[in-house]
Amino acid sequence: MAEIVWETSTAFFGRETEIDLWFDGDRMGDHVLASVVRVTADLGGYHLRAHRGMLEDWALPDSAVRYYLDEEPSLAGLSAADFVNRLHLVRIGIYPDSSDRPVVFDYTTGRDLTDNLLVAVFDTEGRLTGLTVES
């Protein structure tokens, strides 16, 4: 079976955000459509859960959020809330055939500042399951 990628973009909080849909097969099945509807109908909810998770992550010893911040010295000294509020969503990845990363939201402070992304990973129910830094 071939992997199919569908790409588009949308405005989210006044910024352009890419949306990628990745699925196996030669056509879009019901489970793929259900994933798209679930995510796009609740973009604000996913975003809010990601931000809440980032604020909680800040206090952890192995914080992905603080690691991301440490990689960009020009942002040093910001509080957790100020830093999280500077992040903006640049990409949503929907992977209906993935069991460990079916939905990811990629955040950045700006591509002119860093190539790194702070990635929020969600399960099939829309619960935040992890935060990672990726480039």
Side-chain angles (χ1 to χ4, degrees):
M1 263 193 264
E3 185 173 63
I4 306 295
V5 181
W6 175 79
E7 299 172 309
T8 191
S9 62
T10 188
F12 190 72
F13 285 108
R15 294 181 183 264
E16 196 72 12
T17 301
E18 297 173 9
I19 301 175
D20 302 341
L21 170 63
W22 299 72
F23 60 96
D24 295 329
D26 57 357
R27 61 190 171 120
M28 199 178 292
D30 290 343
H31 78 289
V32 174
L33 291 174
S35 294
V36 171
V37 169
R38 185 175 49 255
V39 174
T40 57
D42 190 25
L43 286 179
Y46 277 85
H47 182 67
L48 180 62
R49 290 187 295 279
H51 271 224
R52 284 182 183 155
M54 290 174 197
L55 292 173
E56 292 170 6
D57 178 84
W58 185 274
L60 300 176
D62 58 345
S63 169
V65 177
R66 280 188 290 108
Y67 176 79
Y68 182 97
L69 177 62
D70 290 345
E71 292 296 302
E72 185 45 57
S74 69
L75 300 174
L78 290 177
S79 69
D82 287 340
F83 175 68
V84 169
N85 286 331
R86 285 190 183 222
L87 292 167
H88 57 272
L89 182 63
V90 292
R91 182 184 158 282
I92 299 167
I94 305 172
Y95 305 87
D97 297 315
S98 173
S99 60
D100 60 334
R101 292 172 58 110
V103 179
V104 297
F105 277 43
D106 295 344
Y107 290 89
T108 185
T109 52
R111 291 296 197 177
D112 54 328
L113 296 175
T114 181
D115 289 330
N116 288 334
L117 297 168
L118 184 58
V119 179
V121 180
F122 298 91
D123 66 13
T124 57
E125 302 302 316
R127 293 178 295 240
L128 182 67
T129 59
L131 294 164
T132 63
V133 175
E134 300 175 10
S135 56

